[in-house]
Amino acid sequence: AQRVTQPEKLLSVFKGAPVELKCNYSYSGSPELFWYVQYSRQRLQLLLRHISRESIKGFTADLNKGETSFHLKKPFAQEEDSAMYYCALSGRGGSEKLVFGKGMKLTVNP
Amino acid sequence: DGGITQSPKYLFRKEGQNVTLSCEQNLNHDAMYWYRQDPGQGLRLIYYSQIVNDFQKGDIAEGYSVSREKKESFPLTVTSAQKNPTAFYLCASSISTLNTEAFFGQGTRLTVV
């Protein structure tokens, strides 16, 4: 079965502090991992995906298959990063459905 | 104006009545999804469709039904069998279910009284 776990529901930091949003997954096949973000009063949207290996808005995420993790990191948080963040997984070799974690609310204080 | 549209934004129904939520996309996407979003629960997958005339149950399909007769449309019916239907419902679409970006609608808030 596909499962995504985001162990923390809330994270509050000050501007300029590093942030790490944790995501662990369970999947027997080859996983495809994503981070989605929902800013206040906006639609849920893709932030980044592991296969592209790019940095978006200063965020990066590395897929660690040994630890089955896909943590989202940013070295210096900005106030505009305040949002709900969801880790998501789809996969090859299985049902190929897109499943999400429970989400984490990041608040960046001035 | 391309995108994915859910209607209505707010919906009220009496207990015991079936209700259908609309989801339309003009992105020419093959895959479409329905999620339920509850506080503290994240997004839970109700149904998904990889291609027209085909759909699969998600993790919480009981009490819901869908159809995919047209590529651009994926309506969700919340039946009277759904024990706790009051929730925020999100529809999404993507080119396929394999490692492609999902685009989300604005959502429909259903309240059953």
Side-chain angles (χ1 to χ4, degrees):
Chain A
Q2 293 170 248
R3 182 173 295 173
V4 177
T5 302
Q6 294 180 253
E8 298 157 334
K9 291 185 178 180
L10 302 168
L11 178 62
S12 182
V13 301
F14 286 103
K15 178 182 174 181
V19 293
E20 181 179 62
L21 284 66
K22 297 186 185 299
C23 173
N24 290 91
Y25 67 90
S26 173
Y27 184 62
S28 57
S30 180
E32 310 284 358
L33 274 297
F34 309 82
W35 276 99
Y36 281 79
V37 61
Q38 189 169 28
Y39 301 104
S40 180
R41 298 191 191 88
Q42 293 188 26
R43 300 185 185 205
L44 193 62
Q45 59 187 288
L46 178 69
L47 178 62
L48 55 80
R49 69 190 89 181
H50 90 270
I51 199 168
S52 60
R53 295 181 175 272
E54 56 189 345
S55 173
I56 304 294
K57 298 184 179 183
F59 284 97
T60 59
D62 291 318
L63 178 60
N64 186 323
K65 291 188 176 181
E67 296 183 356
T68 60
S69 68
F70 188 58
H71 303 327
L72 183 68
K73 301 177 183 179
K74 185 170 182 176
F76 308 103
Q78 303 300 313
E79 290 179 67
E80 55 266 30
D81 296 328
S82 296
M84 281 292 297
Y85 290 82
Y86 294 91
C87 184
L89 175 152
S90 68
R92 301 176 185 272
S95 59
E96 299 171 349
K97 55 187 179 181
L98 180 63
V99 295
F100 286 77
K102 292 187 177 183
M104 178 182 196
K105 184 176 181 179
L106 173 64
T107 302
V108 182
N109 301 295
Chain B
D1 187 23
I4 181 164
T5 303
Q6 290 184 242
S7 61
K9 192 172 181 180
Y10 299 96
L11 189 56
F12 294 87
R13 279 294 181 269
K14 290 184 178 179
E15 192 172 344
Q17 290 182 334
N18 291 357
V19 59
T20 298
L21 283 60
S22 170
C23 179
E24 304 278 332
Q25 54 98 0
N26 60 5
L27 300 168
N28 201 32
H29 286 170
D30 281 322
M32 296 187 76
Y33 315 81
W34 273 106
Y35 295 90
R36 173 178 169 140
Q37 190 176 31
D38 296 287
Q41 295 291 325
L43 276 72
R44 292 184 289 170
L45 183 64
I46 304 172
Y47 269 97
Y48 66 106
S49 169
Q50 293 177 284
I51 200 166
V52 67
N53 291 322
D54 180 68
F55 51 83
Q56 307 291 330
K57 290 183 178 180
D59 299 318
I60 56 165
E62 185 176 351
Y64 300 97
S65 66
V66 294
S67 64
R68 187 84 189 276
E69 297 175 0
K70 297 186 295 183
K71 188 174 186 178
E72 59 269 23
S73 179
F74 192 41
L76 173 75
T77 296
V78 184
T79 75
S80 57
Q82 169 49 233
K83 297 285 187 266
N84 185 20
T86 294
F88 189 65
Y89 291 89
L90 279 172
C91 180
S93 71
S94 62
I95 295 173
S96 77
T97 53
L98 294 178
N99 192 32
T100 59
E101 179 178 358
F103 292 83
F104 283 81
Q106 291 275 39
T108 293
R109 182 165 299 281
L110 172 65
T111 302
V112 176
V113 295

